[in-house]
Amino acid sequence: MRREPPRFRRVEVRGIEPLSPCLTRVTLAGDELADFAVPEPAASVRLLLPPPGSRQLVMPAWNGNEFLLPDGRRAVIRTFTPRRFDAAAHELDLDVVIHDEGVASAWVRGAAPGDTAAVSGPGRGYTIDTDAPAFLLGGDETAIPAISQLLEVLPTTAPVRVRIEVARADARLALPSRPDLTFEWLDLPPGAPPGDALVDALAALDVADDTRIWVAGEAAAVQRVRRHLFEERGISRSRTSIRGYWKAGRSGDADDE
């Protein structure tokens, strides 16, 4: 038996804003967000969607291991970074990477104001070490919302290096600026496994032992990052936060967040 996640809160679509050809911001709102809060950056929320082919939201029940619909099917749930929460307006922004396939991408492409969904969370975020001398952030397109959020809240007294891998040039977009920021977009070569450019870029960097490291992206890629940092460089796990956001070849989430 697994611990039941936080309850789902009913919301409706209030706005849809394309940020790039690959990233769309969905604004959700509802009175059930009245006591919602996101105390840490780079956290996660679960988004419950209507069953495929339907616009009607069906609330699932927890069976001790997963959420199931009344007819026994698994509920359609995906995990995203809560990019912005407006407590006064009861509004929550989620930035969704759009793929050619995938339930969440299809839902966003067809969503309209008033459509219903539900959110649960937040899950754990990133605890910032305000005394850290430097930060290193890395990820792929799915990590752009969390990295953007971190750039807004990390201590301005510490230099920050950012490396983001993109499979398409038009996935690039403006990120929050800050003092002492070193940033580089990494183009994934055609046909290369997701994460190849990111893993190579991080391996090429000179990283001081006391640098705080945050990395998120494709599950196999971040496992390679873990091996490099922990086994090859001997960096302490306590100085890192490394999370798999998705798995290549699978429509769904990588980590149970």
Side-chain angles (χ1 to χ4, degrees):
M1 300 287 287
R2 300 165 60 195
R3 184 179 64 180
E4 182 173 358
R7 68 181 177 92
F8 278 104
R9 304 163 186 263
R10 291 178 180 269
V11 293
E12 65 177 33
V13 175
R14 180 164 289 179
I16 301 173
E17 177 189 3
L19 303 178
S20 78
C22 300
L23 194 67
T24 295
R25 175 163 296 169
V26 180
T27 299
L28 305 170
D31 291 341
E32 293 190 17
L33 293 177
D35 60 346
F36 186 79
V38 186
E40 295 179 318
S44 62
V45 294
R46 285 183 169 93
L47 176 66
L48 171 68
L49 299 174
S54 172
R55 302 183 82 91
Q56 182 177 357
L57 185 70
V58 180
M59 299 302 289
W62 180 253
N63 73 348
N65 183 60
E66 61 184 345
F67 283 105
L68 297 179
L69 300 176
D71 62 6
R73 289 182 298 168
R74 296 182 65 182
V76 179
I77 299 171
R78 296 294 182 264
T79 304
F80 298 99
T81 299
R83 181 64 182 89
R84 180 194 69 95
F85 178 62
D86 185 330
H90 301 167
E91 285 187 350
L92 175 65
D93 286 347
L94 305 180
D95 294 350
V96 181
V97 175
I98 305 300
H99 301 283
D100 292 336
E101 300 178 355
V103 175
S105 296
W107 180 78
V108 170
R109 283 194 291 263
D115 284 356
T116 56
V119 294
S120 170
R124 71 186 188 277
Y126 181 59
T127 302
I128 298 174
D129 182 351
T130 56
D131 296 324
F135 292 88
L136 171 61
L137 312 179
D140 58 20
E141 291 103 326
T142 63
I144 290 176
I147 289 175
S148 298
Q149 201 170 58
L150 289 169
L151 289 175
E152 294 171 345
V153 298
L154 290 178
T156 57
T157 54
V160 179
R161 287 183 290 177
V162 177
R163 300 293 184 270
I164 300 180
E165 175 186 290
V166 291
R168 296 170 41 177
D170 57 9
R172 304 180 183 191
L173 72 164
L175 297 181
S177 61
R178 54 174 291 124
D180 212 353
L181 170 65
T182 305
F183 180 84
E184 184 178 348
W185 291 105
L186 309 170
D187 294 315
L188 181 66
D196 254 21
L198 176 64
V199 172
D200 289 346
L202 295 181
L205 289 175
D206 193 14
V207 182
D209 289 341
D210 51 2
T211 297
R212 301 304 188 267
I213 302 171
W214 184 97
V215 178
E218 198 277 327
V222 299
Q223 285 285 46
R224 292 164 61 192
V225 171
R226 289 187 180 104
R227 286 195 296 271
H228 172 74
L229 294 178
F230 303 152
E231 299 173 15
E232 298 176 24
R233 293 204 183 196
I235 292 176
S236 171
R237 293 173 184 263
S238 65
R239 300 182 187 275
T240 70
S241 176
I242 303 176
R243 305 183 69 177
Y245 274 3
W246 62 286
K247 290 183 179 179
R250 172 179 161 185
S251 176
D253 302 318
D255 282 354
D256 182 12
E257 303 177 338

